């Protein structure tokens, strides 16, 4: 799914925080659309997970729109439709799309974490964590650096184990 680029107006060109919030909002619009598409391909427990994710993304989308207005901006509107990265014809492709959506949302929230401070940063970090957990559930494994595509590219989610903290063994 393509997420359109968010160009700040002249008034907010100097606000990286507003730009990052707008990008996260655009990503949430795309996620809401994507979950609407894939939800019809899942039933039972996975269908319930998709509905919960859909509701969660709608709530985050609405909160981000309020945040944009609080920052003095005009919330980016949702597209009428989004191009899916691949056809969603069955449960397997629906789960794959859900994992992709969560990965992309994670990237938007990683950018938001970098661009803000305080309570907004805490909320963005929580959203990043939720996206990483949902992605791992849909995929059946995790990536070492959720939200950082350049670090996760080519990583085998099944081979990812616990990450040691830098210096945990006394070395740097």
């Amino acid at each position: 799914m393509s997420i359109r680029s968010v160009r700040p107006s002249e008034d907010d060109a100097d606000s990286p925080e507003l730009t990052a919030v707008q990008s996260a909002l655009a990503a949430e619009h795309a996620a809401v659309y994507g979950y609407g598409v894939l939800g019809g391909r899942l039933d039972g427990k996975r269908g319930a997970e998709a509905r919960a994710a859909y509701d969660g993304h709608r709530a985050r989308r609405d909160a981000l729109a309020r945040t944009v207005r609080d920052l003095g901006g005009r919330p980016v509107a949702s597209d009428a439709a989004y191009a899916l990265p691949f056809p969603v014809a069955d449960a397997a492709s629906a789960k794959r799309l859900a994992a992709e959506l969560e990965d992309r949302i994670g990237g938007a929230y990683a950018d938001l974490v970098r661009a803000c401070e305080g309570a907004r940063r805490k909320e963005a970090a929580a959203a990043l964590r939720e996206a990483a957990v949902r992605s791992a559930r849909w995929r059946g494994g995790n990536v070492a650096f959720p939200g950082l595509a350049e670090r996760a590219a080519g990583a085998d989610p099944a081979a990812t184990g616990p990450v040691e903290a830098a210096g945990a063994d006394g070395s740097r």
Side-chain angles (χ1 to χ4, degrees), residues 19-147:
T19 300
V21 173
Q22 289 278 35
S23 294
L25 176 56
E28 288 291 6
H29 284 311
V32 168
Y33 179 87
Y35 271 100
V37 170
L38 69 87
R41 303 281 188 244
L42 300 170
D43 55 11
K45 182 181 177 191
R46 289 303 212 167
E49 289 176 24
R51 284 187 298 279
Y54 175 80
D55 291 340
H57 286 297
R58 285 179 46 202
R60 288 216 183 267
R61 175 201 63 193
D62 296 346
L64 287 167
R66 285 188 298 275
T67 300
V68 168
R69 285 190 291 275
D70 290 346
L71 291 171
R74 181 175 176 188
V76 63
S78 174
D79 287 344
Y82 293 84
L84 299 176
F86 48 83
V88 181
D90 56 14
S93 58
K95 289 186 261 184
R96 204 168 93 218
L97 178 59
E100 173 99 7
L101 292 170
E102 297 300 342
D103 289 343
R104 291 181 184 198
I105 286 286
Y109 281 111
D111 291 344
L112 187 55
V113 166
R114 284 190 292 267
C116 60
E117 297 177 346
R120 194 163 291 128
R121 175 180 253 175
K122 186 176 179 180
E123 290 170 21
L128 172 57
R129 181 183 65 243
E130 289 171 16
V133 168
R134 279 194 296 261
S135 175
R137 284 184 182 151
W138 288 118
R139 181 174 285 108
N142 61 357
V143 294
F145 299 98

